[in-house]
Amino acid sequence: AHERDFVLRPLNDLPTGSQVRLGPQGEAASTLLARLPQQTAFDARNTIWAPKRYTANASAERTQDATMVMGILNVTPDSFSDGGRFTQVDRAVKHALDLCEQGADVIDVGGESTRPNTELITVEEELSRVIPVIDELSKLREFSASISIDTRKPEVARAAIHAGANVINDEAGEADDTQAMLAVAGDLGVPI
């Protein structure tokens, strides 16, 4: 079985891409990518509007069309991935800084759990979780990553962008309120 372009290219773009070993021979992603037949392939980098802010920790070899790493920061008490460890602003900020140190280019801040069978929370509750963290991160001089707001609510997206986020991660996939979320992105000039 051969790996495909869309699998190999992001691995190769990472600063540690040459260390990624794949397949039974343990070959580098760059080696496998070079062996692929040359073809005009779909290139998602031409279709995704990436954030304009890039991290200071990115190596000089990385270009604006390189794969970006997103660090997940759940500020929910019932997070399935981290057990609610980052509900306090100081802990959340420290975790975001740690993620950047580990190579994250974007920090995705989410305030509503997406676990199956989780009850939805109000706009006010979600705002009380995400806005203090985004506000604090955007004030830090040493914080250089883009900030993404992970929400399904246009009101939360708008407030988060005003607080310092610069990308909307529409967790509902624009299914809940497409026009309202698109309007927020368009009005504020930020990507979804």
Side-chain angles (χ1 to χ4, degrees), residues 19 26-27 34 39 49 51 64 87 91 103 107 114 120-122 124 134-135 139 147 159 171 185:
Q19 299 167 14
E27 294 178 281
Q39 58 184 341
W49 183 15
Q64 289 189 351
T87 58
R91 283 184 161 187
I107 300 298
T114 56
L120 299 179
I121 62 173
T122 65
E124 293 75 21
I134 292 170
D135 185 55
K139 290 178 188 175
I147 302 171
E171 74 178 45

Side-chain angles (χ1 to χ4, degrees), residues 2-164:
H2 297 283
E3 291 294 344
R4 292 167 284 175
D5 180 82
F6 72 87
V7 173
L8 295 172
R9 192 163 306 281
L11 292 172
N12 190 55
D13 283 348
L14 293 172
T16 57
S18 62
Q19 299 167 14
V20 175
R21 302 292 176 190
L22 301 167
Q25 312 288 314
E27 294 178 281
S30 58
T31 303
L32 295 171
L33 187 60
R35 273 200 216 127
L36 289 178
Q38 294 301 315
Q39 58 184 341
T40 306
F42 171 74
D43 187 351
R45 293 174 295 181
N46 293 330
T47 61
I48 296 172
W49 183 15
K52 293 182 180 171
R53 189 173 172 196
Y54 293 90
T55 62
N57 65 4
S59 68
E61 305 88 57
R62 294 186 75 188
T63 61
Q64 289 189 351
D65 64 350
T67 300
M68 297 178 75
V69 176
M70 179 180 277
I72 306 301
L73 178 57
N74 292 318
V75 292
T76 60
D78 58 346
S79 173
F80 64 88
S81 64
D82 58 43
R85 293 184 301 154
F86 307 113
T87 58
Q88 296 172 325
V89 174
D90 60 334
R91 283 184 161 187
V93 168
K94 181 179 181 333
H95 185 59
L97 292 170
D98 290 346
L99 290 169
C100 289
E101 177 106 3
Q102 295 167 22
D105 299 294
V106 180
I107 300 298
D108 190 47
V109 180
E112 181 174 47
S113 179
T114 56
R115 269 188 349 202
N117 303 317
T118 300
E119 288 189 34
L120 299 179
I121 62 173
T122 65
V123 168
E124 293 75 21
E125 178 66 24
E126 190 171 352
L127 288 170
S128 74
R129 294 175 183 180
V130 299
I131 297 302
V133 174
I134 292 170
D135 185 55
E136 195 63 35
L137 287 173
S138 66
K139 290 178 188 175
L140 292 176
R141 209 179 258 266
E142 68 270 28
F143 186 76
S144 58
S146 292
I147 302 171
S148 170
I149 178 63
D150 182 4
T151 186
R152 71 179 76 226
K153 299 179 182 94
E155 305 91 341
V156 173
R158 183 175 297 278
I161 298 301
H162 285 299

Side-chain angles (χ1 to χ4, degrees), residues 162-179:
H162 285 299
N166 53 4
V167 180
I168 298 170
N169 179 5
D170 184 357
E171 74 178 45
E174 301 175 26
D176 287 355
D177 198 346
T178 302
Q179 294 308 311

